[in-house]
Amino acid sequence: MPEDSTDCMVCKNKAKVDYFDFGDKANLECTRCGKFSLLGSETYNLIDRLDGQNRAKLSGWIYEQNGEASIPKLTREIVEIVTTRSLPSISERIDRFLLEVGKNQTKLNSLIDINQPHFIAATYSQNQHEVEFLLDVLAENKMVEVCESGVAFRILYDGYVAIDTLTRKKESFGKGFVAMSFDDTLNEAYTKGFQVGIMNAGYEPVRVDKSEHINRIDDEIIAQIKTADFVVADFTGHKGGVYFEAGYALGLNIPVIWTCRKDNMKDLHFDIRQYNNIGWENFEELANRLQYRLEATVGKGPKN
């Protein structure tokens, strides 16, 4: 189906949609939130009832996921988890603003348009007025200079120093990388199993939604594994890439949580059978067992 234009279900900004059915699925690319999929009429109806603050939480979370090269799939369970979390503090939102500015600036001393919608999402703001408040705080602290028109600003020396410091921070993001087959038959296993279990344990799930590579593992996947707190490796379908990604994580001393659908466990490679695999049959069981395994092995995450 060709792309069409619509209002984003989350933030009401303009978005492109390439498929939509209230009872099934929407794939959207929003000028504010970024790319995401919305699954099922229950999810749509839940989002439709959200207030401004919870829409800001969901929009910010989607944008963060895109920043990790992951296209989130929104289900009712995921929307409920994200919207019950607290908003980032003001200082955290200012840090996110600085990082977003630094990420998008192409040359020194250039003017930056404050009205870009991604600033709203990146700072978990409800509207442009909140972004302008954050900008005023940065201006008062001599990190940016706002032009007379008020619609553009430039970064000052202290702002560049702060961006460099934030970029170099090694604090845990609380991220779990999911290595699994991208076969369509496993989509619900991810949205209702892996994604829910990881988030309930207090971590952010990341799955690089790209086509599989035959000759090499994509650089983005390697980068994501290096910065993950753990890797969840699901061997259902026995894809070679999953074996590689699990082995790569082990080589970096990153914890690996091993899973496989029960009807596929008989075909596990001999070297994998020695590990304590979570053998799952349904999505609720997978989410619960994964949450408990994560909390027992790597501890509760920062967003628990």
Side-chain angles (χ1 to χ4, degrees), residues 96-247:
R96 290 171 190 273
F97 193 4
L98 282 170
L99 286 170
E100 186 69 12
V101 170
K103 183 177 72 176
N104 287 277
Q105 189 177 38
T106 56
K107 60 182 180 180
L108 295 175
N109 204 39
S110 59
L111 285 175
I112 302 162
D113 181 6
I114 186 61
N115 292 311
Q116 298 176 62
H118 62 88
F119 285 134
I120 302 177
T123 58
Y124 282 73
S125 295
Q126 294 188 44
N127 51 49
Q128 188 64 29
H129 295 302
E130 291 192 3
V131 176
E132 291 168 3
F133 169 78
L134 299 176
L135 182 66
D136 288 342
V137 173
L138 289 172
E140 289 172 6
N141 285 275
K142 310 299 182 186
M143 292 188 184
V144 301
E145 177 185 49
V146 181
C147 297
E148 289 183 7
S149 64
V151 298
F153 65 97
R154 59 168 52 90
I155 308 173
L156 300 177
Y157 174 76
D158 285 349
Y160 283 114
V161 171
I163 290 169
D164 288 343
T165 301
L166 289 168
T167 303
R168 290 196 302 268
K169 270 188 176 181
K170 299 299 182 182
E171 294 175 354
S172 170
F173 175 67
K175 180 174 69 177
F177 182 86
V178 181
M180 64 180 294
S181 168
F182 291 152
D183 190 283
D184 287 345
T185 61
L186 291 172
N187 282 344
E188 282 193 294
Y190 179 71
T191 59
K192 296 183 178 181
F194 296 107
Q195 200 174 212
V196 173
I198 291 171
M199 293 183 75
N200 279 339
Y203 297 92
E204 294 291 2
V206 172
R207 186 179 81 161
V208 178
D209 288 81
K210 295 183 179 180
S211 59
E212 295 189 33
H213 296 261
I214 298 173
N215 296 318
R216 66 179 181 85
I217 298 296
D218 187 87
D219 292 341
E220 185 63 47
I221 293 175
I222 295 296
Q224 294 297 340
I225 292 174
K226 283 181 175 179
T227 58
D229 290 58
F230 58 86
V231 170
V232 175
D234 183 72
F235 295 95
T236 308
H238 305 288
K239 298 294 184 180
V242 178
Y243 283 90
F244 180 94
E245 290 156 32

Side-chain angles (χ1 to χ4, degrees), residues 10 24-26 36-47 50 58 61-62 71-83 187-197 199-200 205 283 287:
V10 175
D24 189 11
K25 177 180 180 181
F36 65 97
S37 294
L38 189 152
L39 308 180
S41 58
E42 279 189 348
T43 311
Y44 175 84
N45 291 332
L46 176 58
I47 292 174
L50 294 179
L58 193 55
W61 182 77
I62 292 168
I71 301 174
K73 304 182 191 312
L74 301 185
T75 62
R76 177 182 56 79
E77 294 89 349
I78 296 304
V79 173
E80 287 176 345
I81 293 170
V82 172
T83 54
N187 282 344
E188 282 193 294
Y190 179 71
T191 59
K192 296 183 178 181
F194 296 107
Q195 200 174 212
V196 173
M199 293 183 75
N200 279 339
F283 311 135

Side-chain angles (χ1 to χ4, degrees), residues 20-39:
F20 187 72
D21 180 339
F22 280 98
D24 189 11
K25 177 180 180 181
N27 297 318
L28 293 104
E29 182 174 1
C30 171
T31 53
R32 169 175 157 181
C33 306
K35 295 181 179 180
F36 65 97
S37 294
L38 189 152
L39 308 180

